[in-house]
Amino acid sequence: MKPNKHYADLAESYLFFHIAQKTKKYLEENPGTHLYRMGIGDVSLPLCDAAIKALHGAVDDQAVKETFHGYMPECGAPFLRETIAQYYAKRGVELSSDEVFVSSGASDELGDILDLFDPSNRSMVIEPAYPAYVDANVMGGRSILHLASGIDNGFLPEPGPDTKADLLYICSPNNPTGAVFGREALTKWVEFANRTGAVILFDAAYEAFIEDPALPHSIFEIPGARTCAIEICSLSKTAGFTGTRLGYTVIPKDLEREGMNLNAMWVRNRTTKTNGISYILQRGGAAIFTEEGQKQIHENIRYYKENAAILMRALDKLGIWYCGGKNAPYIWMKCPNGMGSWEFFDLLLKKIQVVGTPGEGFGACGEGFFRFSTFGDRADTEEAARRLVELLG
Ligand code: PLP
């Protein structure tokens, strides 16, 4: 047997490991200290009532012969695929339900979807980036174009003459920067992809956090996207499904390359490599798209947004540059006084017991920046903001 040698090309996954090591050491040296954890990418609020009720109801269905479900359709239950298609329709995006594939989360899909593409394709990753994009491509032996972004373009780069890539990862609202592409900027990417034959992999895991009505939630709000894009979504952050696991992927039937239809290829992939997602979870997921479910998840999102507002007020008071927070659950700030990401991490840990995420961990151009997550506890967020102002003010 020959192992996949590309695994040897993976950079050490040091970011969260290194953070955990540093905080562990600090707690060993300062036992009993409370840490203000503003680094977590996980939610802290439980599932909403509508989802819990639907999950319980579905468990009961499984106890009765007449309502019991065995294997589910590999691409998703028709009731959920239809529900999600209607969710898009409310935003003016027409999808047929068989363009929606139910998944067990965005991470799984971001890796699995690469099955559709030849290993010789080159992938573009806009950095700073969610680390899984780069690693999934390294594992597959693909070459990667690291497209750096920065303050000058608001962390929202446009395609240029050097953007030579076949797969274009776009994450909007972005993790880690919280930046969101507007219609005009996304149109440039769609036109570029259609012109060059590239395919956009649009990660919309944070779409529900957009509050500005002018900003697109989906790449399919952009004319022309049906012939060049795949959208990967998740209920993880939208509805607190990080531990419950449910997502969905949209592949339009108009998406074809070299005579091959990517929707049909994905049907073949799913029917070969999966046996569907649990009936119980799909019922829980469908409840999120009801009127009641939407109201409840937006109450939770409002809680996180208030956390964001607290941190943003602190940064405004300090005159520190940042982006994100308003239409995303992350705030991306410039480290003060030209400090490096890890230097700033150490300062916050040691002086005010606040833990965030050093920007350098999301790609080289993240050096000198720092990410705050707003998924934490309200009281901790308030105290972290107060300590930040006291330390840097
Ligand atoms: N995409 C982005 C940008 C993320 O930040 C995350 C999780 O943090 C994911 C995808 C993965 O989401 P899921 O929990 O659905 O696997």
Side-chain angles (χ1 to χ4, degrees), residues 44 104 118 132 144 148 173 190 217 259 265 281 332 346 358 389:
S44 57
S104 49
D118 191 88
I144 299 171
V190 165
H217 290 236
M265 287 165 72
L281 295 186
W332 180 252
D346 289 336
V389 171

Side-chain angles (χ1 to χ4, degrees), residues 168-185:
L168 312 171
Y169 284 82
I170 299 182
C171 177
S172 179
N174 188 270
N175 177 12
T177 67
V180 187
F181 279 95
R183 267 169 221 285
E184 213 178 299

